[in-house]
């Protein structure tokens, strides 16, 4: 279990306990609806929780409004309970397919529409109490998430980027080696790489949202907005740059076991690993070995590979500049030194 998993587990446990205690303190008759709402809102990072919480609030408002309308129809017009519940929940479920933020609306409506089973409380009153319980759960989840707002979000994101870069380095060294993968193994490796890039993009959205809120709370200028999203896009470009070497090698005039291809794989792998270390430690990346393949001249080990090598170098250098700008947004005169 890593630190991020442990942190999220502790947040979930705290959300369960605190939402229940808050409901109990307010003498709510059905305290576990608040617990359910808190669990739905909570996400692994503060940024993703804030996004989920706002979507949950909007969906809850819509679902609650239609749910209360359904309860009123049942008790004042005589619409059947089953018909009203199924009709409203189905309508909201259909709408949630077009509006992602409405995905919690059917759940909220179902909670309100099933509010006829507490002795001594009219149905409309029970529906109102359940609305309060949903609000308690959402508020508790957001409050717990906000406590971790100042945590090392940027460091966690940089570590995730470094992990993806190391995966790319391993892939390019293997692909340019004397024993390439079978087509089935290549497809499996490509699928794993796509999944890692998708997860990184999702993490970037939450990290940018969290950083923006943190700067706003500290009344700082919104410089560097969406830096993590741009970084994730640049890492995806780097993955495509590195994959281009393998595509070119498949139609190369040189044998796959030629020493030049092995040297290219090692140089690209070293550049990628150095960039990963740069993200984690802040040291300038070492692109010297890869630079040998960049000039399109007879002195280059593989002259016709130069455009692809320059493209990878350009994106790795851009990554170093972008991350340094994000880390030193308040410092003047910062420079990026590429070895």
């Amino acid at each position: 279990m890593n630190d991020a998993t442990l942190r999220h587990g502790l947040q979930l446990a705290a959300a369960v306990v605190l939402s229940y205690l808050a409901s109990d303190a307010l003498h709510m008759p059905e305290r576990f609806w608040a617990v359910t709402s808190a669990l739905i809102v909570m996400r692994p990072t503060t940024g993703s929780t804030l996004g989920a919480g706002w979507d949950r609030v909007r969906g809850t408002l819509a679902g609650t409004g239609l749910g209360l309308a359904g309860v009123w129809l049942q008790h004042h017009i005589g619409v059947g309970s089953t018909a009203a519940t199924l009709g409203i929940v189905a309508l909201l479920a259909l709408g949630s397919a077009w509006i992602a933020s409405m995905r919690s609306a059917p759940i909220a409506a179902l909670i309100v529409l099933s509010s006829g089973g507490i002795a001594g409380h009219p149905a409309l009153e029970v529906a109102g109490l359940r609305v309060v319980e949903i609000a308690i759960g959402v508020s508790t989840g957001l409050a717990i998430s906000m406590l971790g707002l100042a945590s090392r979000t940027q460091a966690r994101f940089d570590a995730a980027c470094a992990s993806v870069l190391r995966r790319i380095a391993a892939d390019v060294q293997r692909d340019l080696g004397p024993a390439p993968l079978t087509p089935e193994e290549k497809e499996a490796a490509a699928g794993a790489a796509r999944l890692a890039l998708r997860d990184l993009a999702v993490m970037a959205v939450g990290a940018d949202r969290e950083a923006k809120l943190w700067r706003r709370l500290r009344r700082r200028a919104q410089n560097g907005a969406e830096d993590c999203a741009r970084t994730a896009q640049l890492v995806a470009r780097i993955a495509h740059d590195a994959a281009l070497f393998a595509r070119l090698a498949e139609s190369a005039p040189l044998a796959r076991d030629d020493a030049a291809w092995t040297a290219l794989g090692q140089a690209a792998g070293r550049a990628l690993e150095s960039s990963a270390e740069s993200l984690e430690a802040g040291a300038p990346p070492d692109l010297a070995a890869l630079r040998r393949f960049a000039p399109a001249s007879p002195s280059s080990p593989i002259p016709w590979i130069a455009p692809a090598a320059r493209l990878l170098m350009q994106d790795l250098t851009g990554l170093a500049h972008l991350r340094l700008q994000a880390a030193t947004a308040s410092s003047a005169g910062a420079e990026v030194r590429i070895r």
Side-chain angles (χ1 to χ4, degrees), residues 104-131:
S104 63
I107 300 174
L110 186 59
I111 291 173
V112 173
L113 285 165
S114 60
S115 58
I118 301 180
H121 294 275
L124 285 174
E125 180 182 334
V126 175
L129 290 173
R130 290 189 177 177
V131 172

Side-chain angles (χ1 to χ4, degrees), residues 16-243:
V16 168
V17 174
L18 292 180
S19 59
Y20 183 88
L21 292 177
S23 296
D24 184 63
L26 295 175
H27 306 291
M28 293 290 105
E30 297 174 308
R31 300 168 180 85
F32 286 106
W33 285 124
V35 174
T36 301
S37 297
L39 290 175
I40 292 174
V41 168
M42 293 298 297
R43 295 293 187 273
T45 65
T46 301
S48 56
T49 298
L50 292 174
W54 177 236
D55 286 347
R56 172 86 173 148
V57 168
R58 288 185 291 183
T60 298
L61 290 175
T64 299
L66 287 179
L68 289 173
V71 173
W72 187 87
L73 289 173
Q74 292 176 33
H75 293 83
H76 291 80
I77 299 182
V79 178
S81 174
T82 300
T85 300
L86 288 178
I88 291 175
V89 172
L91 178 65
L92 289 171
L94 179 64
S96 67
W98 282 276
I99 307 175
S101 61
M102 293 294 106
R103 289 175 182 171
S104 63
I107 300 174
L110 186 59
I111 291 173
V112 173
L113 285 165
S114 60
S115 58
I118 301 180
H121 294 275
L124 285 174
E125 180 182 334
V126 175
L129 290 173
R130 290 189 177 177
V131 172
V132 174
E133 289 158 4
I134 292 173
I136 290 172
V138 171
S139 301
T140 302
L142 292 175
I144 292 174
S145 183
M146 290 292 290
L147 292 177
L149 186 59
S151 61
R152 301 178 62 196
T153 305
Q154 187 63 60
R156 292 196 302 271
F157 177 74
D158 286 344
C161 288
S163 176
V164 173
L165 289 175
R166 290 192 173 97
R167 174 192 290 272
I168 298 170
D171 289 346
V172 72
Q173 288 174 327
R174 180 197 59 227
D175 291 340
L176 297 181
L181 299 178
T182 64
E184 293 78 12
E185 292 172 332
K186 287 182 179 179
E187 183 59 32
R194 287 192 296 268
L195 181 60
L197 291 171
R198 186 191 68 181
D199 291 343
L200 186 65
V202 172
M203 186 178 184
V205 173
D208 279 335
R209 183 185 292 119
E210 188 171 337
K212 182 178 180 180
L213 179 59
W214 178 241
R215 287 192 294 265
R216 183 177 299 171
L217 291 175
R218 299 185 69 180
R219 297 183 179 180
R220 290 186 175 181
Q222 297 296 320
N223 296 327
E226 300 183 354
D227 277 337
C228 292
R230 288 199 294 267
T231 299
Q233 293 170 359
L234 195 50
V235 171
R237 281 175 50 182
I238 289 170
H240 291 302
D241 295 343

Side-chain angles (χ1 to χ4, degrees), residues 174-180 186 246 249-250 252 254-258 261-262:
R174 180 197 59 227
D175 291 340
L176 297 181
K186 287 182 179 179
E250 292 175 356
L254 298 177
R256 286 299 298 269
D257 60 351
D258 190 279
W261 284 112
T262 302

